[in-house]
């Protein structure tokens, strides 16, 4: 009896080491296979910036273009995304911001910022293409925007805009085969 348990245990352990090559099967209305998404891997990210990176990932998922998307997805298709945020303010603009801060944002001031999205597309470990987009936007610093976390900002609209510009161009480039006829299909990557 002890011998049979050892043989069964050995079979269970060894069968877990087998690997197979997988062909992705579409079971949803998505048109592309799953994608692994890495965001700002090489850039240090301050804690307050994390929700902006989450917005990038959420917009890719909301698009419905992929069966699944995220850093947890095991796929040969990889988006290595870098999101930079910057400003185009001048010294005069900065003086206005200081005045606004000194009055506890009663006097509003305008901030001119931009989001720059860079996406490196990898397929089976090989870099295929680099996409780059920039969107400039304006925000108003005032008491209502400083005190409320529920105010929808132009920054997040800008992030969604650059992600959608990327997804649109990715679809036009036809780097991958699209799903045929809206039915379940297969694409080998």
């Amino acid at each position: 009896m002890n011998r049979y348990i050892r043989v069964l245990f050995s079979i269970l352990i060894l069968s877990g080491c087998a690997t197979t090559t997988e062909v992705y099967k579409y079971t949803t209305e998505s048109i592309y296979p799953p994608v692994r998404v890495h965001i700002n891997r090489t850039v240090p990210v301050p804690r307050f910036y994390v929700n902006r990176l989450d917005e990038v990932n959420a917009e890719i998922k909301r698009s419905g273009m992929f069966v699944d998307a995220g850093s947890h997805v095991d796929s040969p298709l990889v988006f290595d995304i870098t999101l930079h945020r910057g400003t185009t303010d001048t010294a005069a603009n900065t003086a206005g911001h200081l005045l606004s801060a000194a009055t506890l944002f009663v006097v509003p001031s305008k901030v001119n910022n931009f989001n720059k999205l860079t996406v490196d597309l990898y397929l089976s470990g090989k870099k295929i293409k680099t996409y780059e987009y920039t969107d400039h936007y304006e925000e108003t610093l005032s008491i209502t925007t400083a005190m409320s976390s529920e105010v929808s900002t132009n920054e997040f609209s800008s992030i969604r805009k650059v992600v959608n510009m990327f997804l649109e161009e990715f679809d036009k480039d036809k780097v991958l085969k699209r799903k045929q006829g809206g039915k379940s299909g297969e694409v080998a990557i």
Side-chain angles (χ1 to χ4, degrees), residues 119-122 126-131 169 173 175:
V119 181
D120 292 325
L121 172 65
Y122 292 89
K126 183 179 177 187
K127 188 173 181 179
I128 303 296
K129 188 170 181 177
T130 298
Y131 298 89
E169 188 173 337
D173 281 349
V175 175

Side-chain angles (χ1 to χ4, degrees), residues 93-166:
N93 296 117
T94 304
H97 304 325
L98 292 173
L99 173 65
S100 181
T103 62
L104 299 176
F105 301 105
V106 172
V107 176
S109 68
K110 298 230 184 253
V111 181
N112 300 304
N113 292 332
F114 65 89
N115 284 312
K116 180 179 177 183
L117 184 80
T118 306
V119 181
D120 292 325
L121 172 65
Y122 292 89
L123 187 59
S124 299
K126 183 179 177 187
K127 188 173 181 179
I128 303 296
K129 188 170 181 177
T130 298
Y131 298 89
E132 196 169 289
Y133 306 94
T134 303
D135 183 53
H136 295 268
Y137 63 95
E138 189 175 271
E139 295 260 49
T140 302
L141 290 176
S142 68
I143 190 127
T144 56
T145 58
M147 299 303 287
S148 176
S149 61
E150 297 177 13
V151 175
S152 178
T153 64
N154 292 338
E155 180 179 9
F156 286 94
S157 298
S158 172
I159 290 171
R160 288 189 291 274
K161 183 177 178 182
V162 292
V163 170
N164 286 320
M165 288 188 319
F166 157 66

Side-chain angles (χ1 to χ4, degrees), residues 4-180:
Y4 291 114
I5 293 175
R6 285 184 188 168
V7 170
L8 181 61
F9 184 70
S10 299
I11 289 171
L12 288 174
I13 288 178
L14 293 176
S15 65
C17 297
T19 60
T20 60
T21 303
E22 185 176 334
V23 175
Y24 291 104
K25 294 183 186 258
Y26 295 106
T27 56
T28 65
E29 293 303 312
S30 304
I31 57 175
Y32 292 112
V35 61
R36 176 174 287 184
V37 179
H38 296 294
I39 304 174
N40 284 22
R41 271 195 308 177
T42 58
V43 179
V45 179
R47 182 174 288 224
F48 67 87
Y49 200 69
V50 172
N51 58 352
R52 290 154 178 86
L53 303 181
D54 290 342
E55 186 65 28
V56 172
N57 200 26
E59 191 63 25
I60 291 171
K61 287 182 178 182
R62 272 194 297 266
S63 73
M65 290 177 62
F66 304 94
V67 172
D68 195 8
S71 60
H72 65 281
V73 175
D74 187 22
S75 174
L77 178 63
V78 176
F79 292 159
D80 193 0
I81 298 174
T82 306
L83 179 66
H84 293 287
R85 180 178 177 266
T87 185
T88 56
D89 280 344
T90 62
N93 296 117
T94 304
H97 304 325
L98 292 173
L99 173 65
S100 181
T103 62
L104 299 176
F105 301 105
V106 172
V107 176
S109 68
K110 298 230 184 253
V111 181
N112 300 304
N113 292 332
F114 65 89
N115 284 312
K116 180 179 177 183
L117 184 80
T118 306
V119 181
D120 292 325
L121 172 65
Y122 292 89
L123 187 59
S124 299
K126 183 179 177 187
K127 188 173 181 179
I128 303 296
K129 188 170 181 177
T130 298
Y131 298 89
E132 196 169 289
Y133 306 94
T134 303
D135 183 53
H136 295 268
Y137 63 95
E138 189 175 271
E139 295 260 49
T140 302
L141 290 176
S142 68
I143 190 127
T144 56
T145 58
M147 299 303 287
S148 176
S149 61
E150 297 177 13
V151 175
S152 178
T153 64
N154 292 338
E155 180 179 9
F156 286 94
S157 298
S158 172
I159 290 171
R160 288 189 291 274
K161 183 177 178 182
V162 292
V163 170
N164 286 320
M165 288 188 319
F166 157 66
L167 292 172
E168 185 177 319
E169 188 173 337
F170 173 79
D171 191 37
K172 286 180 185 175
D173 281 349
K174 306 213 182 312
V175 175
L176 300 176
K177 298 176 190 174
R178 290 183 76 166
K179 186 172 108 174
Q180 299 295 323

